[in-house]
Amino acid sequence: MKKVCTTSLYRFTIVFIYLFLFSLTIGAQRDIKTINDGWRFLKQDVTDASRLGIDDKLWERVSIPHTWNSDAYTDKAYYRGIGWYRKNIYLSDEYKDKQLFVRFDAANTVASVYVNGNMVGEHRGGYTSFTFDITPYCLIGKENLIAVKVDNSLTDVPPVSGDFTFFGGIYRDAWLISTPKQHFELSDFGSNGVFIDTKDVSESSALYTVRGAIKNDESLVKKVEVVYTIKDPQGRIIKTDKNIVSIQPNEKRDFSYSGKVENPQLWSPENPNLYAIETAIYDSKSKKVLDKINNNTGFRWYKFDGKEGFFLNGKSYKLNGMCRHQDQKPIGNALTDEMHRRDMQMIKEMGINFIRISHYPQDDAILELCDKLGILAWEEIPIIDIVPEDANYSVNCENMLKEMIRQHYNHPSIIMWGYMNEILLVTQRKFKGDDLKVATDRALALANRLEKVLKEEDKFRPSVMAFHGSDSYNKAGFNDIVDIVGWNLYQGWYSDGFTGFEKFLQEQQKQHPDNPKIVSEYGAGSDKRIHSLFPKRFDFSVEYQQEYIEHYLSVIEKEKYVSGATYWNFIDFGSALRDESMPRINNKGLVYSDRTPKDVYFLFKAFYRKDVPVLHIASHDWQKRTGITKSGEPCVQPLKIYSNLTEVELFQNGKSLGIKKCENSTATWQVPFITGDNFLMAKGLFDGKPIETALSISFNSIPEILDAENLKSLELAINAGSSSFYTSPESGLTWLPDREYSAGSWGFIGGKPYQTQGEILATADNPLYQSLRESPDQYRFDVPAGRYEVELSFSDIFTPKEKLAYDLSEGTQDSSENESIFDIAINDKVVESKINPARSSGFYGLERKRFIIEVGEQHYIEIKFRSFSGKSFVNALKVRKL
């Protein structure tokens, strides 16, 4: 008798059953399609806009994703109010006897949905999905009107505060879903109705449970089969099973199934192995499929330890992370799925294995790519800065937390849920004494409430909160509520000194050694227009951001108890209330808003990637350099290379500048730049193979000694009160750092620098006028005889913008109180008497003055200031020979 292989027979039987069931799937089942196009939009509230008879032909034609807040990039008072969307959908006879649903992946902030004039539901929350059953309101064989009222006004829905723009609109996909009368529950907080638990995972085995609910929207008792099919990462069916469920009319019935996988292929960032689990409902009589849900899952286990850090699949593992906002100038948050996926590809490419999805749930495309690319994730709801005194707010927070967890429960990439960020930051600014205690206790009560909900919703993942750098969170007891403590630390940016970063962490570890810790934010801003040879905190130079990150990365890697860190932020993102060097933009990103990488992007790549060579000349952000030189001599300036190579050799115009070892993924040369093109080439070895890269840098020399020859084509422009170069993108002119006068040259005599972060009005060159030299004795330029144009720029920035705003709101501002009034004299001739920039252009306005002067035998230009009231000052100077 021929022996039959039982293993082969088992596999054959499984495949046969699966193919048999697949052959029966033709019939009434779920149909999903987008309804993104053909919408009419009006940015205002309209009475009865949901009615069928309203004429919307003059409304704007839009497609979803859509936001109405492109104005947030130009105006702090961007529109926060109501917008209406309307769309007609024809429902053919194929939808007869179907259950119909409309799903919106997100609409910010409150959305009210109407079908044929009937309100079908309201959703409060701008970052989670919602699904409404619209079956009773639909007309088969006719046009059906869907109208959506969206409101992004400040309400009792989080966030009520935050350092990002609250874009309004239906800014993620919209869907029409049809199912048979028996289907998975679609109204369960926006989830797909099926949940997968993985537990007791090891290298030898893993348990999983598939659970959920089925809805019977028919008036008859229905008996169905729930069939479970699991495929391994290679697409092979490894298990199929089923159970019988009997459902009463208009009833919802829970179901559950548990299985086991032997020798699972574990999920990790290096090997993101995904198992596919199909859950299908079959009619027990006809055997036809009624509804089907496909989910991926991954088998992994992990833990956070207060002393040892993070462990994944039994091994110590550092979470090298990134925070990510979801907007892109000028389209706001209305990104396509392709744009979201592009971001995740870029994040993975730089060697990141962990993302903080901040500060709110984001598009499903993000977590899809986290699962597939292998990026661990922290997801959170947007409770930020302060908890308002509103009972409805807490209810909305709880609902939002449930929505986030249920909608994204099945993603193996998610390893923690978060629900508060810097919740005492604005609280401590706004309240003092007993009022502060009441507000803190209110936040504590909400944290305890949400922690309880989180544990009920997910028994396996830990909770996390992000604290700003204050020990008040520990004193209040927030660290005792949450599983993992996140610290947003900006020492060296919002406060002095890089080394305060490691000192803070070490002190926290000493006081709270059992609290697992993660650095949830760190970052510094940079502006491509600003460069410095002597970078300083908050100067927004590209060079300071680089120094800041270089320090932080080394500390994070060294401190073992730190589970990991997430840099703030991947992109330069919209923050409408900000001023700084780029108003309405938070520019701490590693890539610009258009996703062009900054040089510092490659530092992360060099630091974290060991599998591919990284060799980057870190001057792509400064390819047109300027420097001050003596006649005929080169100008020596530092040039960095970011690399994961052991050592690198740098060449300038074919000449070697030497070999340097890469320490902290960085090597720096002092390069003697010459006027014109400088061709830089870097070479090294990676795994014994030669690697090289090149960059051409154009260098413009500014003479230290001014003479008749070099003045012919020179515009000598000075960034008064600043140590940074500033290049105007409009004109291409570089304004030089302020410098002290020396005999035979040019510069300031006396005075002191002063700067603001407030926006300068009516100029694209905002950073140039945010600094000034206060009360200078004079500026002097030693020049030959001739005719010159002198340009002086003034912006009165001495009164803090916050005080100005308050005074204006109170109607108490007296413009004469703090005005600066002074004379300007050039070569002892008063050219402007009692100039008053605040009176003529307003505080933070801009006033430019040009003067034509003759220089004779004295061979110098002396610009002096004599104050009558307040302080004399100048923000920028420019001299050119006519």
Side-chain angles (χ1 to χ4, degrees):
M1 185 174 180
K2 188 175 181 180
K3 186 175 181 181
V4 177
C5 177
T6 56
T7 302
S8 298
L9 182 61
Y10 174 72
R11 288 177 177 169
F12 174 79
T13 303
I14 288 178
V15 172
F16 176 79
I17 293 172
Y18 182 78
L19 291 175
F20 173 72
L21 292 174
F22 180 77
S23 69
L24 297 175
T25 61
I26 300 174
Q29 54 177 301
R30 179 177 296 210
D31 180 65
I32 309 173
K33 64 181 180 182
T34 57
I35 49 172
N36 286 343
D37 300 312
W39 290 84
R40 295 282 188 170
F41 170 72
L42 186 65
K43 192 170 75 172
Q44 66 183 66
D45 196 8
V46 178
T47 303
D48 293 334
S50 62
R51 268 199 311 115
L52 288 167
I54 292 294
D55 184 1
D56 58 14
K57 290 185 176 62
L58 296 180
W59 292 22
E60 181 184 358
R61 290 182 180 272
V62 300
S63 291
I64 293 170
H66 173 262
T67 179
W68 58 66
N69 282 128
S70 60
D71 60 339
Y73 293 110
T74 58
D75 189 355
K76 283 185 177 182
Y78 62 99
Y79 181 74
R80 296 194 66 181
I82 291 171
W84 276 95
Y85 297 83
R86 287 166 58 96
K87 176 183 175 64
N88 286 302
I89 298 176
Y90 179 76
L91 297 175
S92 63
D93 288 343
E94 67 179 282
Y95 292 103
K96 187 179 180 181
D97 299 325
K98 293 283 193 75
Q99 207 70 16
L100 295 170
F101 301 86
V102 65
R103 173 186 174 90
F104 294 91
D105 285 347
N108 202 24
T109 303
V110 178
S112 303
V113 180
Y114 300 80
V115 174
N116 294 326
N118 302 288
M119 185 173 181
V120 298
E122 180 186 77
H123 182 257
R124 305 182 69 78
Y127 304 97
T128 44
S129 302
F130 53 98
T131 303
F132 294 136
D133 186 340
I134 61 173
T135 311
Y137 313 103
C138 291
L139 303 173
I140 303 302
K142 295 183 179 180
E143 291 279 343
N144 292 261
L145 172 67
I146 298 179
V148 186
K149 176 184 176 182
V150 184
D151 187 352
N152 72 330
S153 303
L154 181 63
T155 65
D156 55 8
V157 179
V160 297
S161 176
D163 183 20
F164 55 97
T165 301
F166 303 154
F167 296 97
I170 304 176
Y171 68 95
R172 294 183 194 156
D173 292 327
W175 304 83
L176 180 67
I177 304 171
S178 65
T179 69
K181 294 297 181 181
Q182 293 76 39
H183 54 86
F184 292 108
E185 175 63 279
L186 276 80
S187 300
D188 186 4
F189 288 89
S191 71
N192 67 15
V194 176
F195 304 94
I196 300 168
D197 298 317
T198 59
K199 52 188 177 180
D200 297 330
V201 179
S202 68
E203 292 182 348
S204 59
S205 66
L207 301 179
Y208 66 93
T209 298
V210 184
R211 56 185 174 83
I214 301 172
K215 184 79 185 301
N216 178 17
D217 283 311
E218 203 166 15
S219 57
L220 300 172
V221 176
K222 199 72 175 182
K223 186 176 288 187
V224 298
E225 296 178 358
V226 185
V227 178
Y228 313 90
T229 304
I230 183 167
K231 299 179 185 178
D232 68 14
Q234 289 71 43
R236 299 171 299 210
I237 299 170
I238 59 174
K239 193 175 185 62
T240 297
D241 212 336
K242 67 179 181 180
N243 54 18
I244 307 295
V245 177
S246 181
I247 319 174
Q248 296 298 312
N250 301 307
E251 183 191 27
K252 182 177 74 172
R253 278 291 302 273
D254 293 337
F255 65 88
S256 180
Y257 169 80
S258 295
K260 183 177 183 181
V261 173
E262 302 290 350
N263 302 312
Q265 300 175 53
L266 299 178
W267 187 98
S268 71
E270 292 70 33
N271 297 289
N273 294 308
L274 291 174
Y275 285 75
I277 295 182
E278 178 188 285
T279 313
I281 305 170
Y282 288 84
D283 186 294
S284 60
K285 291 183 179 179
S286 68
K287 304 301 182 184
K288 289 184 178 180
V289 67
L290 298 173
D291 199 6
K292 182 167 56 178
I293 292 290
N294 291 286
N295 287 293
N296 289 328
T297 194
F299 297 109
R300 77 285 184 270
W301 77 97
Y302 60 92
K303 72 171 184 177
F304 289 86
D305 184 271
K307 299 182 180 68
E308 300 296 322
F310 178 71
F311 291 80
L312 177 65
N313 297 334
K315 300 176 182 177
S316 179
Y317 199 91
K318 186 72 80 170
L319 295 170
N320 304 321
M322 191 65 48
C323 297
R324 190 243 185 199
H325 268 301
Q326 65 180 5
D327 70 283
Q328 180 169 336
K329 187 179 181 180
I331 62 173
N333 59 355
L335 275 65
T336 64
D337 289 353
E338 293 84 359
M339 297 169 82
H340 289 297
R341 289 192 287 266
R342 169 210 57 197
D343 282 5
M344 299 310 296
Q345 293 281 2
M346 291 184 71
I347 287 171
K348 181 67 175 182
E349 175 65 22
M350 66 194 295
I352 296 301
N353 60 29
F354 177 54
I355 183 173
R356 180 184 177 199
I357 302 174
S358 50
H359 285 304
Y360 39 77
Q362 296 182 18
D363 196 282
D364 287 343
I366 298 297
L367 286 171
E368 176 192 347
L369 265 290
C370 284
D371 292 345
K372 291 180 178 178
L373 296 177
I375 302 175
L376 295 155
W378 157 357
E379 191 172 33
E380 62 193 3
I381 58 173
I383 306 174
I384 303 167
D385 294 342
I386 190 169
V387 175
E389 193 174 357
D390 189 323
N392 291 331
Y393 179 84
S394 296
V395 173
N396 291 328
C397 291
E398 182 175 325
N399 287 337
M400 193 177 290
L401 182 62
K402 289 179 179 179
E403 286 179 327
M404 176 181 71
I405 294 175
R406 295 193 193 186
Q407 289 172 23
H408 294 154
Y409 189 89
N410 296 332
H411 291 282
S413 54
I414 296 179
I415 57 172
M416 59 180 103
W417 303 112
Y419 53 78
M420 281 185 178
N421 177 76
E422 297 183 343
I423 201 60
L424 297 182
L425 183 62
V426 171
T427 304
Q428 291 173 343
R429 293 174 184 170
K430 186 174 180 179
F431 300 109
K432 302 298 178 186
D434 291 342
D435 291 339
L436 176 59
K437 185 179 186 310
V438 170
T440 301
D441 288 346
R442 187 164 59 243
L444 275 169
L446 179 58
N448 277 298
R449 176 177 178 172
L450 295 179
E451 182 72 14
K452 183 174 183 292
V453 170
L454 190 152
K455 291 296 189 283
E456 290 171 350
E457 291 290 319
D458 190 337
K459 297 178 175 58
F460 304 103
R461 292 180 175 98
S463 60
V464 62
M465 277 191 268
F467 306 155
H468 76 276
S470 168
D471 200 51
S472 56
Y473 291 92
N474 296 321
K475 292 177 180 177
F478 284 93
N479 62 321
D480 295 325
I481 297 172
V482 77
D483 296 320
I484 301 160
V485 170
W487 285 108
N488 297 349
L489 301 177
Y490 290 92
Q491 288 85 353
W493 184 245
Y494 292 122
S495 60
D496 288 330
F498 290 155
T499 57
F501 173 58
E502 51 264 45
K503 289 178 181 177
F504 183 91
L505 287 173
Q506 290 161 4
E507 184 63 26
Q508 286 299 316
Q509 183 62 13
K510 180 180 178 181
Q511 294 181 11
H512 307 280
D514 295 325
N515 283 152
K517 298 169 187 66
I518 191 165
V519 178
S520 39
E521 290 181 25
Y522 66 101
S526 69
D527 187 324
K528 191 176 183 178
R529 302 169 295 177
I530 303 173
H531 295 275
S532 180
L533 303 178
F534 306 99
K536 299 177 182 179
R537 180 179 74 86
F538 236 68
D539 66 3
F540 291 91
S541 68
V542 166
E543 291 68 32
Y544 188 83
Q545 185 190 46
Q546 292 175 355
E547 288 187 5
Y548 175 99
I549 294 173
E550 289 162 13
H551 178 83
Y552 270 65
L553 285 178
S554 63
V555 173
I556 292 162
E557 184 70 21
K558 180 181 66 177
E559 301 292 342
K560 183 179 180 181
Y561 57 87
V562 176
S563 295
T566 48
Y567 178 79
W568 187 266
N569 194 277
F570 175 57
I571 60 170
D572 286 353
F573 63 90
S575 182
L577 299 183
R578 275 193 175 242
D579 287 337
E580 301 178 341
S581 77
M582 297 166 63
R584 289 161 291 283
I585 296 290
N586 185 322
N587 58 11
K588 296 184 181 71
L590 302 183
V591 302
Y592 297 102
S593 181
D594 67 359
R595 274 44 177 188
T596 300
K598 300 180 183 181
D599 283 319
V600 77
Y601 172 97
F602 296 94
L603 169 61
F604 277 82
K605 187 173 181 179
F607 202 88
Y608 289 138
R609 293 207 64 173
K610 309 303 177 188
D611 56 327
V612 295
V614 180
L615 182 60
H616 179 80
I617 299 173
S619 197
H620 288 70
D621 286 329
W622 201 12
Q623 284 185 255
K624 293 185 177 181
R625 292 195 178 206
T626 300
I628 301 169
T629 62
K630 293 182 178 180
S631 179
E633 295 184 8
C635 182
V636 177
Q637 290 184 354
L639 181 118
K640 287 180 182 177
I641 285 180
Y642 292 139
S643 181
N644 59 3
L645 278 58
T646 303
E647 58 185 24
V648 176
E649 185 173 11
L650 181 65
F651 296 82
Q652 180 189 19
N653 297 330
K655 179 183 177 181
S656 175
L657 300 182
I659 298 173
K660 290 187 179 288
K661 291 188 178 298
C662 294
E663 298 180 0
N664 200 29
S665 302
T666 305
T668 304
W669 284 259
Q670 297 298 322
V671 175
F673 286 100
I674 60 172
T675 301
D677 292 334
N678 294 257
F679 185 73
L680 284 302
M681 177 172 282
K683 296 182 178 181
L685 296 175
F686 183 83
D687 285 345
K689 297 178 181 179
I691 304 295
E692 63 181 43
T693 190
L695 179 67
S696 182
I697 295 177
S698 174
F699 194 86
N700 181 35
S701 297
I702 303 297
E704 187 175 35
I705 307 299
L706 303 175
D707 58 38
E709 184 62 30
N710 60 40
L711 277 169
K712 286 181 179 179
S713 59
L714 176 65
E715 289 191 64
L716 181 57
I718 299 173
N719 187 4
S722 174
S723 60
S724 297
F725 297 89
Y726 173 80
T727 300
S728 170
E730 282 74 19
S731 67
L733 179 66
T734 295
W735 299 71
L736 303 172
D738 213 359
R739 70 194 299 264
E740 190 169 10
Y741 169 79
S742 60
S745 185
W746 47 270
F748 66 81
I749 298 173
K752 62 180 181 179
Y754 182 87
Q755 71 173 31
T756 181
Q757 297 305 320
E759 178 184 4
I760 309 302
L761 305 177
T763 177
D765 293 319
N766 193 63
L768 177 62
Y769 306 110
Q770 287 181 314
S771 65
L772 54 76
R773 180 153 291 276
E774 174 188 334
S775 303
D777 295 329
Q778 62 172 279
Y779 273 81
R780 174 162 172 151
F781 303 82
D782 290 342
V783 296
R787 193 161 170 260
Y788 291 84
E789 178 186 83
V790 175
E791 180 179 291
L792 305 176
S793 297
F794 307 94
S795 182
D796 193 329
I797 59 175
F798 290 110
T799 301
K801 268 214 163 180
E802 296 79 9
K803 182 179 186 304
L804 282 175
Y806 176 77
D807 287 346
L808 285 170
S809 69
E810 295 292 311
T812 60
Q813 185 184 18
D814 180 359
S815 61
S816 64
E817 180 183 351
N818 299 310
E819 292 172 358
S820 293
I821 304 172
F822 51 93
D823 282 352
I824 303 169
I826 301 180
N827 289 354
D828 295 326
K829 178 184 177 181
V830 174
V831 295
E832 194 74 28
S833 177
K834 293 187 177 180
I835 184 174
N836 186 339
R839 176 64 61 88
S840 55
S841 301
F843 289 102
Y844 292 82
L846 178 61
E847 186 163 351
R848 284 189 286 251
K849 300 275 186 183
R850 290 184 188 175
F851 308 95
I852 307 301
I853 64 165
E854 296 283 347
V855 174
E857 294 182 355
Q858 75 269 48
H859 293 292
Y860 60 74
I861 300 171
E862 279 186 345
I863 307 169
K864 295 183 178 179
F865 308 86
R866 186 177 67 160
S867 178
F868 292 94
S869 173
K871 306 163 184 174
S872 64
F873 64 91
V874 63
N875 300 68
L877 307 89
K878 183 154 65 76
V879 174
R880 69 185 185 97
K881 193 172 187 301
L882 299 177

